Amino acid sequence: MKSAGKKYLVAGALCLCCTLTKGEVNAASETGNEFLDMDLSQLMNITITSVSKKEQRLADAAAAVFVISQEDIRRSGVTSIPDALAMAPGLQVAKISASKWSVSSRGFAGHTSNKLLVLIDGRSVYSPSFSGTWWDMQNTLLEDIDRIEVIRGPGGTLWGANAVNGIINIITKKSSETHGGLVRVGAGDQERYQGGVRYGAKLNGSTDGRIYLTYNDRDNNTLANGGGDANDSWQSFQGGFRLDGTPRANSEWTLQGDMYRNRADQILYPYWIATSPYLTAKDSEADMTGANILGRYRRELSGGDAITVQAYYDYNDQEEHDYYQQTFKTVDLDIQYETSFGAYNSFTIGGGYRRVDGEYENSYQVEVSDTDTGDDIYSTFVQDEIKLIDDKLWLTLGTKWEHNDFTGSELQPSGRLLWKPVANHSFWASVARAVRTPSIVERKGSILAASYPLPPPYNSITGTTYIRGNKEFDSEEVVAYETGYRWQANTKLSFDIAAFYNEYEKLYQLEPVTSSTGLDFTFVNGAEGHSYGLELAADWKPTSWLSLVLTYSYLDMELSSVNSLTGQNVSESTLAIAKSSPKHQASVRTSIDFAEKWQTNLWLRYTDEIVGRDSADVLSGEIPLDGYFLFDANLIWKATDHLEIMLVGQNLLNNSQLEYISELITPATEIERSVYLKLTYNF
């Protein structure tokens, strides 16, 4: 009854807002709102770059793509990049604590989700330590983001290993688009303090620049067991700059960089010790510091050819006090050349080199056999877009060769077909192979999974169970089959649907091995299986003052794992991965300009039931989590041409909500309801 009551409450709120008469609402043009004033034919013509690594219209992409715009981010009221990603179909975004998220595409959810490649302006933020993304390190000023391109499905042909189930490319605005100043301040119960400052200007006739600072302070949440303080407060600080130049009409360059320092409180659980009581919880802290710098140069040549050169350096240091410390330094060089052969072939070729150096400080909880480790990655790719029928049918073929120090050479081919039989209708299909290369921990690490007393006569010795790395652990593989359809019904209504079937091989599995101190487990390529699903996005703008976006995702996963020696099932841990992602997800976002200078935005999300892994029993423990609704709402007043005031409520249906249980380090935490007030001043 409680759940049904929530449904009726939300439905009633949506109906009330949607039944406002046109006479009560001012047109979007009167409030200066370009988003609601833009018809959907313009939105479908948005230029994207992540699918083919060059500019193309969204309507012409032969892939499952969803674009989150700056206006989407502003109207949603989110305060972090991962929270904004929840707007995209096919992504599962669950908040674990104030500073931790699980973000995954088409399954394999987890705090250490490892099959989703994340980029910021073309710079990979994919961590080599566990093959995933530390979301608490990605805190660029939200107002500087131009768009987030979310591609579900493999992208290894262009982007390389680890783009298995999707790519997220966060693209910031050019400096020429951020002239003037911006000051943003906010405060609330959970979002205790937030602030941002940016200033941009034209530096000379061909160069623009900006600098920025951003800060967030988030309060503690609630422990799921007992309702105590989760001790997970988080403070994040980041600053940076960007310069853009156009020295000639046919060339442009970019130089940008960031520095950050974050601090988070946390409860370490399970925290194993060598003496009684062996299993404990410990109040602790985490500190993250880092910096990066990126340069890119692009020149258009005669005949439509173009060359792009990019290089970046990235440094990050993560210290989970009492658990582990790791430092990574990455140097990346990339070159790309675009050309045409006649009127029917658009050809792209490129190559790259990446050097990753890592340093570890071992502890009783986590060890790495080689505390100073490195990896050299060489790659080259080629892609040819072939026009089979003018303005109707295109075939894109490509492959990427990549060599790393762990698994040697990897080949990731793909083929894509786009058919546009008539205007505003697009059909596409693709088949691709992608790999996920092993992380350093999976090859060289040891993670303590249990500590316990041994029986006599060994009672003077503490028994341990470690999850140990395996130097023979190989890349995980997927062959993905996709198809989709886009229909621009008219200037007010559009649909985008995608279906997929993925075949996985050599997935990681934990197998038991004996050791001198007890029973250990090691990573092996012992699991396989398949997944299939459907994703839908519908965009409707019935009037100039009302916009609705509906997304829905269905996912079904079937994985199996066996002992490579005995042929028997050995663990439920990999199978639990198939249950950690919901079968059904749905989202409805409504944007309304209900009076001059006043806007409101409502966002209702549903996530189906999942199974979490008990962090104190990662080898076999499973905890069911019920499906849940999340409802956010905000009210925006554009007080003057320069000042905007926003009142935001998040998770309004619940005092607190358990969204996910981390399989690593921290106890189950419920995310509390949040209300905050934000002022943004532009000058």
Side-chain angles (χ1 to χ4, degrees):
M1 290 297 294
K2 184 177 180 181
S3 177
K6 292 177 182 176
K7 296 179 186 178
Y8 295 141
L9 174 64
V10 175
L14 290 171
C15 290
L16 176 62
C17 292
C18 291
T19 53
L20 292 171
T21 64
K22 186 175 181 179
E24 296 172 315
V25 182
N26 289 281
S29 58
E30 295 177 357
T31 64
N33 188 330
E34 297 178 359
F35 174 71
L36 286 179
D37 199 37
M38 182 183 293
D39 66 47
L40 291 183
S41 61
Q42 292 171 285
L43 292 175
M44 293 297 285
N45 283 325
I46 288 176
T47 299
I48 63 173
T49 59
S50 302
V51 174
S52 60
K53 229 175 180 182
K54 62 181 181 179
E55 292 186 352
Q56 65 179 150
R57 297 191 314 146
L58 173 61
D60 295 339
V65 188
F66 188 88
V67 176
I68 302 170
S69 69
Q70 167 57 221
E71 187 67 10
D72 292 331
I73 296 171
R74 184 188 75 86
R75 279 187 169 260
S76 68
V78 299
T79 58
S80 69
I81 289 174
D83 287 338
L85 295 176
M87 287 184 261
L91 292 190
Q92 178 190 358
V93 179
K95 206 164 187 177
I96 297 172
S97 69
S99 61
K100 294 178 174 61
W101 287 261
S102 169
V103 180
S104 61
S105 173
R106 296 179 175 176
F108 298 94
H111 177 220
T112 53
S113 174
N114 58 19
K115 294 176 178 60
L116 178 64
L117 182 65
V118 182
L119 309 158
I120 298 181
D121 288 322
R123 173 177 59 88
S124 173
V125 294
Y126 191 90
S127 172
S129 63
F130 74 99
S131 301
T133 299
W134 297 117
W135 289 104
D136 49 2
M137 296 183 184
Q138 321 309 326
N139 296 299
T140 191
L141 187 70
L142 292 180
E143 288 83 357
D144 282 352
I145 296 176
D146 178 69
R147 65 190 185 276
I148 303 175
E149 298 179 5
V150 180
I151 297 95
R152 293 99 62 200
T157 297
L158 294 178
W159 298 104
N162 308 320
V164 175
N165 281 356
I167 306 158
I168 294 172
N169 196 1
I170 301 157
I171 300 170
T172 60
K173 296 178 179 178
K174 293 183 177 181
S175 302
S176 59
E177 300 171 354
T178 54
H179 286 179
L182 177 145
V183 177
R184 184 241 300 155
V185 294
D189 52 357
Q190 289 301 113
E191 297 283 343
R192 291 187 294 197
Y193 307 105
Q194 57 173 296
V197 180
R198 178 240 287 153
Y199 187 77
K202 194 166 192 63
L203 304 182
N204 57 43
S206 63
T207 307
D208 301 273
R210 68 166 177 262
I211 56 174
Y212 78 92
L213 295 171
T214 181
Y215 174 78
N216 285 81
D217 184 342
R218 294 179 174 87
D219 200 6
N220 300 317
N221 289 287
T222 302
L223 291 174
N225 296 324
D229 193 333
N231 190 37
D232 64 335
S233 65
W234 180 41
Q235 296 82 43
S236 62
F237 176 83
Q238 181 165 312
F241 74 96
R242 174 163 174 160
L243 300 171
D244 292 284
T246 52
R248 302 180 184 86
N250 62 344
S251 64
E252 59 182 10
W253 59 266
T254 297
L255 181 67
Q256 61 189 90
D258 310 278
M259 297 181 66
Y260 62 85
R261 179 171 188 135
N262 304 330
R263 179 191 174 278
D265 292 322
Q266 62 185 3
I267 298 174
L268 294 180
Y269 180 81
Y271 187 74
W272 302 98
I273 58 177
T275 59
S276 179
Y278 301 99
L279 175 59
T280 64
K282 182 179 179 63
D283 288 336
S284 185
E285 298 176 353
D287 289 290
M288 290 75 69
T289 58
N292 63 79
I293 188 166
L294 178 146
R296 181 170 50 249
Y297 177 79
R298 177 179 173 84
R299 183 168 184 178
E300 295 181 358
L301 308 174
S302 60
D305 293 4
I307 186 169
T308 304
V309 180
Q310 176 180 285
Y312 68 79
Y313 172 80
D314 189 295
Y315 168 88
N316 68 76
D317 178 88
Q318 182 177 18
E319 184 173 2
E320 304 275 351
H321 295 280
D322 308 303
Y323 206 81
Y324 66 85
Q325 181 176 0
Q326 59 183 17
T327 303
F328 284 100
K329 303 170 186 177
T330 302
V331 175
D332 186 278
L333 306 173
D334 186 81
I335 186 169
Q336 176 177 308
Y337 185 75
E338 303 164 30
T339 188
S340 298
F341 294 111
Y344 293 95
N345 290 78
S346 179
F347 196 73
T348 306
I349 187 170
Y353 168 74
R354 180 178 300 170
R355 170 68 185 181
V356 181
D357 288 306
E359 298 178 9
Y360 288 84
E361 185 175 313
N362 289 332
S363 71
Y364 184 63
Q365 311 290 324
V366 179
E367 299 178 359
V368 175
S369 59
D370 184 1
T371 55
D372 293 310
T373 185
D375 189 15
D376 291 288
I377 303 170
Y378 305 86
S379 66
T380 183
F381 77 90
V382 60
Q383 180 167 281
D384 187 13
E385 182 183 287
I386 307 165
K387 187 186 299 182
L388 300 179
I389 302 176
D390 281 343
D391 301 323
K392 288 189 180 297
L393 187 63
W394 296 261
L395 173 66
T396 302
L397 302 174
T399 190
K400 182 157 193 167
W401 171 85
E402 193 169 65
H403 185 276
N404 66 82
D405 291 343
F406 288 168
T407 63
S409 295
E410 305 283 1
L411 199 63
Q412 301 181 80
S414 70
R416 299 181 183 274
L417 191 67
L418 175 67
W419 178 41
K420 301 179 70 175
V422 294
N424 300 328
H425 291 265
S426 300
F427 295 87
W428 62 270
S430 71
V431 58
R433 179 183 185 268
V435 300
R436 200 275 296 183
T437 54
S439 67
I440 292 173
V441 169
E442 289 168 328
R443 297 274 293 196
K444 303 178 180 181
S446 295
I447 303 172
L448 184 61
S451 179
Y452 47 85
L454 291 178
Y458 309 102
N459 51 333
S460 62
I461 303 174
T462 297
T464 57
T465 294
Y466 278 91
I467 300 174
R468 298 193 180 276
N470 177 4
K471 291 185 178 180
E472 302 302 318
F473 185 64
D474 205 356
S475 296
E476 298 179 310
E477 302 176 1
V478 65
V479 176
Y481 306 88
E482 299 179 87
T483 187
Y485 168 61
R486 293 188 184 92
W487 177 35
Q488 181 70 57
N490 50 50
T491 59
K492 298 181 178 181
L493 182 65
S494 71
F495 294 94
D496 191 335
I497 188 169
F500 64 91
Y501 180 86
N502 293 343
E503 283 280 0
Y504 297 97
E505 293 184 354
K506 301 167 67 175
L507 295 175
Y508 94 82
Q509 172 59 49
L510 299 177
E511 283 193 0
V513 293
T514 57
S515 70
S516 59
T517 58
L519 181 67
D520 289 348
F521 288 80
T522 189
F523 294 100
V524 297
N525 300 99
E528 60 183 21
H530 65 267
S531 68
Y532 57 91
L534 180 74
E535 297 150 355
L536 168 69
D539 206 326
W540 184 36
K541 291 179 168 38
T543 72
S544 61
W545 51 268
L546 175 64
S547 170
L548 297 103
V549 179
L550 167 69
T551 63
Y552 169 76
S553 306
Y554 173 80
L555 172 68
D556 194 290
M557 300 185 69
E558 297 181 16
L559 304 180
S560 61
S561 57
V562 296
N563 186 305
S564 59
L565 298 177
T566 67
Q568 301 296 315
N569 289 330
V570 295
S571 173
E572 292 294 321
S573 61
T574 299
L575 301 181
I577 294 177
K579 307 173 190 175
S580 65
S581 298
K583 280 195 172 185
H584 303 278
Q585 290 189 101
S587 168
V588 180
R589 288 185 288 128
T590 306
S591 298
I592 305 168
D593 286 5
F594 64 90
E596 185 178 4
K597 300 182 182 297
W598 289 87
Q599 305 165 357
T600 189
N601 303 277
L602 310 174
W603 186 9
L604 175 65
R605 284 167 282 166
Y606 172 73
T607 300
D608 203 5
E609 62 185 9
I610 62 173
V611 170
R613 282 170 281 174
D614 186 348
S615 58
D617 188 9
V618 295
L619 298 177
S620 59
E622 294 187 3
I623 301 175
L625 279 71
D626 293 335
Y628 59 88
F629 285 90
L630 295 176
F631 180 59
D632 299 347
N634 62 61
L635 182 65
I636 302 174
W637 176 36
K638 194 169 180 60
T640 71
D641 290 341
H642 302 284
L643 177 63
E644 179 180 280
I645 301 173
M646 174 184 282
L647 178 64
V648 180
Q650 298 174 325
N651 190 22
L652 294 176
L653 298 181
N654 314 289
N655 290 327
S656 59
Q657 177 63 55
L658 179 62
E659 299 182 23
Y660 197 84
I661 299 177
S662 173
E663 69 280 10
L664 183 68
I665 297 181
T666 54
T669 300
E670 294 186 355
I671 307 303
E672 295 188 4
R673 175 186 292 138
S674 171
V675 177
Y676 73 86
L677 184 68
K678 180 179 74 172
L679 285 72
T680 305
Y681 183 72
N682 290 277
F683 60 94

